[in-house]
Amino acid sequence: MIELTVDATGLARSRFAVSPLHEVAATLLPWGLRPATHADPWVARARRVLRRARLPLLSALALDNGGYVPDFLSPHPSGPSPTVEEELERVRDTPPERVLGELEALRGGHPCVGLAGAELPPGVRQSMDRGGAYVARQAARELRRYWDLAFAPHWEAARAALEAEVDRCAGVLARRGAAGLFNTLHPGIAWSDGTLRIDSRFTMECSVPLVIVVPSLVAARPGVAVDPVRGGRRPPMVAYPVRHPATAPASASAELARLLGPTRAGLLTALGSPASTAQLAERHFLSPATVSYHLGVLHRSGLVTRARSGRAVLYRRTPAGSRLAGTTPPANR
């Protein structure tokens, strides 16, 4: 169990963020090798891409069992939704002493919290001998290639799902407060009496100035990144898994299909939860242009609404659309 004590000021400074490189680094953890049953297929494919792509540093740091993946591979998000280019630049600019310090933490472990040390692979030691700046540049190059091969084709849909989760959390925060919000994230995360408790095989109790919370489509359970460098003051980052809607399209009724046509009926039925054009295209095996056209017709007919969420535009049914689809209107969240 990890316990993070946060005072009122720290709670006010805490924030949510969507991080592309956090998703990349999460596949280096054991759940990247054995993803949860609800994970998207591309999560399971990512490790296979890693093995084939000849990325020696990332491959050496990937875990099959428990352990620690250096945090400089997924820097703390500088804003609510940084781009992958912004995060790769931060990896390249990681202070050399930070890079070497985290790799030394990997080698030495943290017995006080239950993290055992691990022998560094020869390739990692050779890169370290060339300095922390060299390791940071190598990591950024390999992360870029790994991203292009395994993540870029799926990121628009993934980001829309993650940003929709952040929007959901904003609604819960407004209605139920911070305590109510943290207690809805995951059964393994609980808030009471100023302390955030996260189920973990590690043990730690500490007071922190704030918490950065990152929803994840890769993580199978909650995780906490606590600064491993001696004397480090980086705030902890808490990740938790998001169970987003299944990728299989919902089935429209025969009556609705005759009224609207099968494509529009299927899209309207699928919009019980907010979704982007890219998500709907992937689920329904349609081109984004086709989906955009039919969504435009539904929007002009007053059956769906659209609103920007970060960089994505999310569509959802209106009450009239829900009645036509034969369901109750979606609840405000």
Side-chain angles (χ1 to χ4, degrees), residues 101-111 115-120:
E102 291 185 2
L103 291 172
E104 288 296 340
L106 172 60
R107 173 157 43 195
H110 280 278
L115 176 63
E119 182 66 24
L120 295 179

Side-chain angles (χ1 to χ4, degrees), residues 50 66 68 85 110 113 118 123 159 161 166 171 193 203 211 218 243 252 269 277 285 288 315 318 320 329:
L50 179 64
Y68 164 67
E85 288 78 14
H110 280 278
V113 300
R159 182 181 61 201
V166 174
D193 300 325
T203 57
V211 176
V218 176
R243 291 183 177 270
T269 302
T277 299
F285 303 100
Y315 290 81
T318 63

Side-chain angles (χ1 to χ4, degrees), residues 156-157 159-161 163 275-277 279 307-314:
E156 181 179 352
R159 182 181 61 201
E163 291 184 342
S276 69
T277 299
Q279 288 174 302
R308 181 163 294 279
S309 176
R311 295 179 178 85
V313 175
L314 298 183

Side-chain angles (χ1 to χ4, degrees), residues 181-202:
L181 169 60
F182 281 117
N183 286 323
T184 67
L185 296 181
H186 187 274
I189 299 176
W191 171 273
S192 64
D193 300 325
T195 299
L196 188 63
R197 297 176 174 86
I198 303 100
D199 286 343
S200 175
R201 62 189 180 86
F202 303 122

